[in-house]
Amino acid sequence: MTHKKKNTQEASAFQELSVIDLILIDHRFLKECIEVLTDENADKRKKMSVAKEFLDAIALHSTAEKKAIYSPLEKNEDLHSNILEAEVEHGIVDKKVKALKVKFLHARVLRDELEAELKVLSELVKHHLMEEESEMLPKMRDVIDDETLNEMGREFMKIRKFTTKDLKDYPQIQDELIQWKDNIQKVSSEFLAKMDKFVENLQH
């Protein structure tokens, strides 16, 4: 297969992903970081490395959500309260991320105080992700048509700077999607089938 043809297939596969799909995929990396940063036994050097990637990922994810989701859906009656709550949570998280990024510019080792701040931020983000996955995303799937979700997905992907490499770096994606299905009944079998197809396209 030629490089151009492969790129076309990958671009086509991206077009099939809705904003909900992309958010769930993005959450995977954040959850991996949270697991390390909240582990009392994790090596401090590993936490230091993970923390920098975590802060960058949150900043990108937050900007993409606010512009691609919250702004266009803020006046939707069914989602209004969810959006307002999410915006407040993002405001708190964003301030903490900004402050921690400044501290990391001067940090050579992970001191106890900085480690504690990272843990608190991780727990805040974890709570936000859980609320999104259990409440807002299922409600979005119910009240917004597929075409609009796909359009929002393209906007989210552009702002988030998602690439095919991001998805290729997630070898456990299918297992995690099954877990999401178990945990959130609203995540449909159609979504899992679509992701199977997407991953298959990336492998050829």
Side-chain angles (χ1 to χ4, degrees):
M1 181 184 296
T2 66
H3 182 69
K4 185 175 181 180
K5 187 175 180 182
K6 185 176 180 181
N7 285 343
T8 302
Q9 281 190 344
E10 290 175 349
S12 176
F14 267 126
Q15 299 302 314
E16 296 178 11
L17 298 180
S18 77
V19 70
I20 295 173
D21 303 338
L22 291 166
I23 289 172
L24 289 174
I25 293 166
D26 212 12
H27 282 186
R28 178 194 183 274
F29 178 72
L30 296 176
K31 289 176 182 177
E32 280 190 344
C33 294
I34 289 168
E35 188 174 341
V36 174
L37 296 173
T38 56
D39 182 356
E40 300 289 346
N41 299 316
D43 182 80
K44 283 186 180 253
R45 286 171 297 182
K46 183 177 181 181
K47 284 188 176 182
M48 189 84 170
S49 174
V50 167
K52 292 177 181 179
E53 294 181 356
F54 183 54
L55 295 174
D56 288 341
I58 294 173
L60 277 172
H61 182 78
S62 180
T63 299
E65 281 197 334
K66 285 187 282 188
K67 290 183 179 179
I69 302 170
Y70 300 164
S71 291
L73 295 182
E74 193 171 21
K75 294 182 180 179
N76 184 293
E77 290 183 8
D78 297 302
L79 293 161
H80 183 67
S81 61
N82 297 95
I83 297 296
L84 288 181
E85 185 176 338
E87 286 179 328
V88 171
E89 289 176 356
H90 267 281
I92 296 168
V93 168
D94 291 348
K95 285 180 183 177
K96 194 65 184 172
V97 167
K98 190 174 181 180
L100 280 171
K101 278 191 166 190
V102 172
K103 292 183 180 182
F104 265 94
L105 288 175
H106 310 289
R108 294 187 177 182
V109 295
L110 187 61
R111 298 186 181 278
D112 290 345
E113 294 81 3
L114 193 53
E115 185 177 10
E117 287 190 67
L118 283 168
K119 185 177 180 182
V120 170
L121 174 63
S122 297
E123 289 170 348
L124 284 171
V125 174
K126 183 178 180 179
H127 171 78
H128 176 73
L129 301 185
M130 288 173 61
E131 284 206 335
E132 275 193 349
E133 292 183 11
S134 63
E135 296 180 24
M136 191 173 79
L137 299 186
K139 193 177 288 187
M140 283 172 62
R141 191 179 293 283
D142 282 344
V143 303
I144 302 173
D145 64 272
D146 290 342
E147 184 178 348
T148 302
L149 290 175
N150 288 343
E151 288 175 2
M152 292 171 69
R154 288 189 285 274
E155 182 68 12
F156 180 90
M157 186 169 59
K158 183 173 68 175
I159 299 167
R160 174 63 179 82
K161 299 178 181 177
F162 249 134
T163 67
T164 50
K165 184 181 182 300
D166 291 319
L167 295 171
K168 285 178 182 176
D169 288 343
Y170 298 154
Q172 300 171 347
I173 189 169
Q174 289 169 302
D175 290 338
E176 298 209 1
L177 289 171
I178 290 170
Q179 290 176 15
W180 281 324
K181 186 183 178 187
D182 290 341
N183 293 333
I184 312 165
Q185 293 181 1
K186 294 280 187 178
V187 176
S188 67
S189 58
E190 287 83 1
F191 170 56
L192 294 176
K194 184 161 55 177
M195 286 310 304
D196 284 342
K197 181 180 177 184
F198 180 75
V199 173
E200 183 181 346
N201 284 337
L202 289 181
Q203 292 171 344
H204 289 86

Short mmCIF file of all heavy atoms in Angstrom, two decimals, residues 65-75 83 87:
data_model
loop_
_atom_site.label_atom_id
_atom_site.label_comp_id
_atom_site.label_asym_id
_atom_site.label_seq_id
_atom_site.Cartn_x
_atom_site.Cartn_y
_atom_site.Cartn_z
N GLU A 65 -11.97 20.90 24.62
CA GLU A 65 -13.32 20.70 25.14
C GLU A 65 -14.08 22.02 25.20
O GLU A 65 -15.25 22.09 24.81
CB GLU A 65 -13.28 20.05 26.52
CG GLU A 65 -13.03 18.56 26.48
CD GLU A 65 -13.39 17.86 27.78
OE1 GLU A 65 -13.38 18.50 28.85
OE2 GLU A 65 -13.68 16.65 27.71
N LYS A 66 -13.43 23.05 25.70
CA LYS A 66 -14.11 24.34 25.86
C LYS A 66 -14.55 24.91 24.51
O LYS A 66 -15.66 25.42 24.38
CB LYS A 66 -13.21 25.32 26.62
CG LYS A 66 -13.14 25.01 28.11
CD LYS A 66 -12.40 26.08 28.88
CE LYS A 66 -10.92 25.96 28.73
NZ LYS A 66 -10.18 26.87 29.63
N LYS A 67 -13.67 24.82 23.51
CA LYS A 67 -13.98 25.42 22.22
C LYS A 67 -14.88 24.56 21.35
O LYS A 67 -15.77 25.07 20.66
CB LYS A 67 -12.67 25.71 21.47
CG LYS A 67 -11.86 26.83 22.09
CD LYS A 67 -10.61 27.12 21.28
CE LYS A 67 -9.81 28.27 21.88
NZ LYS A 67 -8.57 28.55 21.09
N ALA A 68 -14.67 23.24 21.39
CA ALA A 68 -15.41 22.35 20.48
C ALA A 68 -16.72 21.84 21.08
O ALA A 68 -17.62 21.43 20.35
CB ALA A 68 -14.54 21.15 20.08
N ILE A 69 -16.83 21.87 22.42
CA ILE A 69 -18.02 21.29 23.06
C ILE A 69 -18.79 22.30 23.90
O ILE A 69 -19.96 22.55 23.67
CB ILE A 69 -17.61 20.10 23.96
CG1 ILE A 69 -16.88 19.05 23.14
CG2 ILE A 69 -18.84 19.47 24.62
CD1 ILE A 69 -16.24 17.97 23.96
N TYR A 70 -18.11 22.88 24.88
CA TYR A 70 -18.83 23.72 25.83
C TYR A 70 -19.44 24.96 25.17
O TYR A 70 -20.61 25.28 25.41
CB TYR A 70 -17.91 24.15 26.98
CG TYR A 70 -17.35 23.01 27.78
CD1 TYR A 70 -16.27 23.17 28.62
CD2 TYR A 70 -17.92 21.73 27.71
CE1 TYR A 70 -15.76 22.13 29.37
CE2 TYR A 70 -17.41 20.67 28.44
CZ TYR A 70 -16.33 20.87 29.26
OH TYR A 70 -15.83 19.85 29.99
N SER A 71 -18.67 25.65 24.34
CA SER A 71 -19.19 26.86 23.69
C SER A 71 -20.41 26.58 22.82
O SER A 71 -21.44 27.23 22.97
CB SER A 71 -18.09 27.53 22.86
OG SER A 71 -17.11 28.06 23.71
N PRO A 72 -20.35 25.59 21.91
CA PRO A 72 -21.52 25.34 21.06
C PRO A 72 -22.71 24.72 21.79
O PRO A 72 -23.85 24.84 21.33
CB PRO A 72 -21.00 24.39 19.98
CG PRO A 72 -19.76 23.79 20.53
CD PRO A 72 -19.18 24.80 21.45
N LEU A 73 -22.48 24.09 22.94
CA LEU A 73 -23.57 23.38 23.62
C LEU A 73 -24.09 24.10 24.87
O LEU A 73 -25.03 23.63 25.50
CB LEU A 73 -23.12 21.97 24.03
CG LEU A 73 -22.79 20.99 22.89
CD1 LEU A 73 -22.40 19.64 23.46
CD2 LEU A 73 -23.98 20.84 21.94
N GLU A 74 -23.49 25.22 25.19
CA GLU A 74 -23.83 25.90 26.43
C GLU A 74 -25.31 26.27 26.51
O GLU A 74 -25.90 26.28 27.60
CB GLU A 74 -22.96 27.16 26.59
CG GLU A 74 -23.02 27.74 27.98
CD GLU A 74 -21.98 28.84 28.17
OE1 GLU A 74 -21.51 29.41 27.16
OE2 GLU A 74 -21.65 29.11 29.33
N LYS A 75 -25.94 26.57 25.37
CA LYS A 75 -27.34 26.99 25.37
C LYS A 75 -28.31 25.83 25.15
O LYS A 75 -29.52 26.04 25.10
CB LYS A 75 -27.56 28.07 24.32
CG LYS A 75 -26.81 29.36 24.64
CD LYS A 75 -27.07 30.44 23.61
CE LYS A 75 -26.32 31.71 23.97
NZ LYS A 75 -26.53 32.79 22.96
N ILE A 83 -22.86 21.42 31.31
CA ILE A 83 -21.82 22.26 30.73
C ILE A 83 -21.33 23.29 31.74
O ILE A 83 -20.12 23.50 31.90
CB ILE A 83 -22.33 22.98 29.46
CG1 ILE A 83 -22.70 21.97 28.37
CG2 ILE A 83 -21.30 23.98 28.95
CD1 ILE A 83 -21.55 21.15 27.84
N GLU A 87 -17.57 23.56 33.12
CA GLU A 87 -16.77 24.78 32.94
C GLU A 87 -16.17 25.24 34.26
O GLU A 87 -15.01 25.70 34.29
CB GLU A 87 -17.65 25.89 32.34
CG GLU A 87 -17.94 25.68 30.86
CD GLU A 87 -18.83 26.75 30.28
OE1 GLU A 87 -19.69 27.30 31.00
OE2 GLU A 87 -18.67 27.06 29.08
#
